[in-house]
Amino acid sequence: MNTKGSEALLERAQRIIPGGVNSPVRAFRSVGGTPRFIERGEGCRIYDVDGNAYIDYVGSWGPLILGHRFGPVMEAIRSVLEVGTSFGAPTEREIELAEEIRAAVPSMEMVRLVNSGTEATMSALRVARGFTGRALTVKFEGCYHGHVDSLLVKAGSGMATLGIADTAGVPAGFAETTLALPYNSVEALEASFGSHGDQIAAVIVEPVVGNMGCVPPQPGYLQAMRELCTKHSALLIFDEVMTGFRVSFGGAQELYGIKPDLSTFGKVIGGGLPIGAYGGRADVMSHVAPSGNIYQAGTLSGNPLAVSAGLAMLRHLRAHPEVYRQISSAAERICAAAPEGVTANRVGSMFTYFFGSGPVKDWETAKVADTARFKSFFHHMLELGVYLPPSQFEAAFVGAAHDEEAVETTVDAIRAWKG
Ligand SMILES: *Cc1c(COP(=O)(O)O)cnc(C)c1O
């Protein structure tokens, strides 16, 4: 496979952009080789600058549930170009997107739009602290909630991929406001509430973890979390930036029947443009400025391009619930083809092949995966034109544009691996 064009661009990029990339995992550091510089995407495929085509299971890390250049989303963006790209004043479509989110996710009684998932979790946390008057946050090892200072503690995603235990640049005082517990352990959560119950403002969780690879909640776990938060008057925050409108239209909270106090969204709700949202209980959200004294703002928040793209995406998904069955069953077929000595974890259209044979239920059991075998598999697939996340600790995504032929090609490529 010719990658000369990507190699040249990487060299040039590295001279001006740290590591040559604008988000760490894109650099292929843990798998080695040349990160592909992408020229364009269409449906389930991306094309690099050397003209190589790949079936794309990254999907911009989650947003592109309907594939690249999805017609109605492109149309919505085009219509905004006719009227202006940013006003810094309220527009009707922002209400429409908020109403669309609330209709799908009833716990989102009030919604505030921001520009990224990171902004959403950062803001939700501030609201939880402002509302409860408490300082501590509980998070879980291997979960990633964006690059918020106090949440980069035992975080998954790029930090797990690069083996960075604790990032530099976060003062101890910030990190000390975070209690990091093992995921899927009710006992650990009980113990934490036992010792700090009256100081915990919020528990923030990826209800289905995507950022240490895909790790589902064990039966009863989220329910127990809900009960403990209620008992100790801490707010439960579901970080659905990845799972929202992905594992089902109403997100993980619909799938598991749990009502969090606050939730965060991003990725799918922007249709491939930068966006985030946080919201939840009206009695909590009404404390956000200008109705209340918890401050949060954004010059480009509610940006017309992002809001219109997201609206087109959500409206299509609402009108086509069969999409979720289709993408789940495609992911199921891919997981069924997992080679021996691989644990395939999947929830809906999110999945990860963990290169180890035991069950993976938390960071302890995820981190023992054989990353050398993963690397061999990753490059085998890439050579055959299948683009998986370049990390053992990231989830892959199937979208509605992955047709029969693409899934078949993928399964054949998996079966051809001699690792
Ligand atoms: C991607 C992600 C974020 C961060 O969103 P950005 O838009 O990258 O800032 C936060 N939480 C979860 C669960 C995510 O998957």
Side-chain angles (χ1 to χ4, degrees), residues 71 125 192 233 327 346 410:
L125 215 55
S192 198
S233 306
I327 61 181
R346 179 185 70 85
T410 303

Side-chain angles (χ1 to χ4, degrees), residues 116-118 144-146 206 211 239 241-242 267:
S116 69
T118 295
Y144 177 69
H145 304 290
E206 289 183 73
N211 285 295
D239 180 356
V241 171
M242 188 183 289
K267 297 189 174 128

Side-chain angles (χ1 to χ4, degrees), residues 23 60-61 63 115-121 143-148 157 204-211 238-243 264-267 274-276 394 397:
S23 196
S60 189
W61 299 94
N115 302 290
S116 69
T118 295
E119 258 191 79
T121 57
C143 286
Y144 177 69
H145 304 290
H147 61 97
V148 179
S157 190
I204 186 166
V205 67
E206 289 183 73
V208 174
V209 188
N211 285 295
F238 270 15
D239 180 356
E240 299 232 41
V241 171
M242 188 183 289
T243 53
T264 55
F265 293 86
K267 297 189 174 128
I275 207 167
E394 298 281 2
F397 302 100

